Amino acid sequence: MSFPWAQEYKPQGTVSKWVDERLPLPRLVYNAVGAGYPVPRNLNYFWNFGVLAGVALVIQIVTGIVLAMHYYASVDGAFNSVEHIMRDVNAGWFLRYAHMNGASFFFIVVYIHIFRGLFYGSYKAPREMIWLLGVTIFLLMMATAFMGYVLPWGQMSFWGAQVITGFFSAIPLVGEPLRQLLLGGFAPDQAALNRFFSLHYLMPFVIAGVIILHIWALHIPGSSNPTGVSIKGEQDTVPFHPYYTAKDGFGLGIFLIFFVAVTFFAPNMLGHPDNYIPANPLSTPAHIVPEWYFLPFYAILKAFTVDFGIPFTGVIIIEAKLMGVLAMFGSILLLFFLPWLDTSPVRSGHYRPLFRKFFWFGLIPCLVLLTYCGGKPPYTQWVILSQIAAAYYFIHFLIILPIVSRIERPLPLPNSITEAVTGKPLETAAA
Amino acid sequence: MSTVKKTKSTGKKPVKAPKGPAAVALNADKATSGGITADDLGVENNDQAPGVRRRDFIHIATVSFAGVGAAAVAMPLVSQMSASADVLALASIEVDVAAIQTGQSIKTSWRKQPVFIRNLTPAEVEEANKVDVGGLRDPQTLADRTKPGKENWLITLGVCTHLGCVPLGAAAGEVKGEYGGYFCPCHGSHYDTAARIRKGPAPTNLVVPEFAFISDTVVKIG
Ligand code: HEM
Ligand code: FES
């Protein structure tokens, strides 16, 4: 599609020719994920996770649609209908556990996918649009997973809905009316449950649409690669099929082994037992935590406990509550600006000694710490640790990254992908 | 108009337009240079001219009309989201508080939200009154939050003003936090014996709903 040496689709039989002239869909597939799409020859397994995320979405859609055939979105019946799926529906336990753990695995895969982008600088020119669409997909996924988690109408479902819609009440003036508009009442109830079900059904298809744009944008420059060096010629690439269909297929097998192992042997490992207690609007569980994939953001939310104002005057500029909510959303929205915060022309972290230090010894421990603190009760020591980690998160992206990009002396880059792979200079390898 | 004329003189030869409306449509490009001209339609068709064209008006008018229509359709689509009539109908409840002993509290439910009704002990009342109101995040006295002569009856929503958890402290044996009132375990908000926010992320005191004593022992909430 994007390179002159890409193999051309040649329909063989008369039927293929007939179809190709009328609706060149096979041609599109051939050029997108077939032999017609040249891909760097040196991709490592981190480049497998985009395909895995796509598979995870398909798993969610397929299992979700069949769950919806048995699920009943009513405050009196939802919890029981999920138990009915678990106990009475043939293979219902499997479908539900697959959907429940499918969501977790979807996030695992997407987090690794994002990690790949962060380390190898995939967000840089000319791939900014791919990155922006990716962050959009991430936001949509979070909304989808949140609404799905409300559906079983257990204790965590209910209080999750209460707390997360509570974020909106932090907005000055319009906050509380907005929250009531979103819930369709004063607290989560029938109206909220029903609309969450409707939207939970819709959003995955919206995600699928944005994924198509994401891949469209990807196919214009083509994939980046672990060296971050652009493709110089045909010798730097191999056709997607059969090379990467095979590699991705192997990775998929490994992924599915982990997925079914957890689904069959530890299906509730990543969940929370309180969600097997029916929702009780009069009693909050002693320790409410979101699903594990939201923990870092939850920790940022909880890190803000005092108002921000002018000291000793009592003038409050931003309330702690609003600040926490802004910081939490800000921590994700910030990713939209990443392509313009990191101005270094070198993409791959392999050739950026200073960037790499801050990445491994700053950002990664900071994210681990946030995830850990997010799951802890709001005791002073955890709050202080979250505050330190949250501060580092913002400093890393807003201050360290722009400065590092300016002062760092990158290591010498290989002249081409082929040179990096074979160790031979470009001319001999090309010959 | 001048442009049209110029096109005529420099451009193609005028072509005789075939008769009939369908034929005109098929030869739309010829129509301007031959059969039907901008003059015939009574419009100035000088697309290249800078500034406002008369056609802009009809574009804007059309798009505005469609926009108003779209907004009119969006209105019911959005307003269906707000609380429906049956939800709003659960407007008020009456509670008999005679059985609540000094120092005890109960939880009840109003508009699907928990409500705490607490019979404060004299010590708790005193503690609440001792506080320097000016130093509070949400300055209010106990008297502001209760009815005259009934300062011991503290009636609040059991909804933390942070993100809406039910604080602890209303039921026997629950922790009451560092200020002896309520404690929200979700993100650690502490409320005092007048249910005022003292520590933690919640921005305001627990909300006091509209209520009135309709007899000595019966409260109407809402
Ligand atoms: C982006 C893809 C999706 C994600 C991340 C996702 C996530 C979730 C999560 C986390 C739950 C709660 C599981 C539990 O605790 O039991 C859930 C439940 C549910 N989802 Fe999805 N889902 C997705 C797609 C879909 C689709 C396409 C449907 C089709 C209608 C669907 C239908 C349902 C139903 C009916 C439930 C309630 C049953 C249950 O709790 O097991 N989901 N979803
Ligand atoms: S909801 Fe009470 S402290 Fe956050």
Side-chain angles (χ1 to χ4, degrees), chain A residues 163, chain B residues 160-165 167 184-189 191 201-202:
Chain A
V163 166
Chain B
C160 178
T161 58
H162 182 226
L163 295 172
C165 293
C184 181
C186 290
H187 318 95
S189 288
Y191 297 88

Side-chain angles (χ1 to χ4, degrees), chain A residues 162 181 184 195 282 284 298 321, chain B residues 81 107 161-162 164 166 187:
Chain A
Q162 171 81 331
L181 182 79
R195 71 186 52 172
L282 294 187
T284 311
Y298 200 55
K321 173 178 173 182
Chain B
M81 297 206 22
K107 264 190 219 177
T161 58
H162 182 226
V166 179
H187 318 95

Side-chain angles (χ1 to χ4, degrees), chain A residues 84-271:
Chain A
H84 158 76
I85 292 170
M86 295 295 291
R87 292 154 196 246
D88 305 334
V89 174
N90 290 327
W93 61 272
F94 168 65
L95 296 168
R96 172 167 184 251
Y97 277 156
H99 195 74
M100 207 168 110
N101 288 289
S104 278
F105 274 81
F106 197 176
F107 276 93
I108 293 175
V109 162
V110 163
Y111 280 141
I112 297 174
H113 190 63
I114 295 175
F115 164 89
R116 189 278 318 267
L118 289 173
F119 182 75
Y120 291 105
S122 302
Y123 47 83
K124 290 183 187 179
R127 296 184 183 80
E128 301 96 323
M129 186 58 84
I130 310 169
W131 176 258
L132 298 180
L133 290 164
V135 180
T136 309
I137 293 169
F138 180 46
L139 284 170
L140 291 170
M141 268 178 72
M142 293 171 98
T144 309
F146 157 62
M147 289 191 280
Y149 194 58
V150 174
L151 300 184
W153 210 242
Q155 271 291 65
M156 283 295 171
S157 302
F158 181 90
W159 292 102
Q162 171 81 331
V163 166
I164 291 185
T165 55
F167 295 161
F168 293 91
S169 69
I171 304 167
L173 301 175
V174 296
E176 188 53 34
L178 180 64
R179 190 183 86 92
Q180 289 178 11
L181 182 79
L182 292 175
L183 285 175
F186 304 99
D189 201 21
Q190 184 59 46
L193 176 59
N194 238 22
R195 71 186 52 172
F196 283 7
F197 182 43
S198 166
L199 294 174
H200 184 68
Y201 208 134
L202 167 71
M203 301 265 289
F205 298 93
V206 177
I207 294 176
V210 183
I211 288 174
I212 289 175
L213 299 182
H214 187 71
I215 294 173
W216 186 4
L218 169 69
H219 282 64
I220 290 168
S223 291
S224 184
N225 66 85
T227 67
V229 175
S230 299
I231 290 167
K232 299 270 159 65
E234 187 170 1
Q235 71 287 348
D236 288 343
T237 68
V238 289
F240 189 86
H241 179 74
Y243 291 93
Y244 286 107
T245 41
K247 186 162 178 165
D248 287 348
F250 177 71
L252 176 62
I254 303 288
F255 165 77
L256 289 176
I257 288 173
F258 281 104
F259 176 51
V260 297
V262 172
T263 303
F264 289 151
F265 298 109
N268 291 303
M269 180 175 74
L270 298 165

Side-chain angles (χ1 to χ4, degrees), chain A residues 85-86 130 156 164 251 311 315 340 359 369 387 390 410 423 428:
Chain A
I85 292 170
M86 295 295 291
I130 310 169
M156 283 295 171
I164 291 185
V315 179
W340 297 277
F359 186 88
L369 198 61
Q387 284 166 341
T428 31

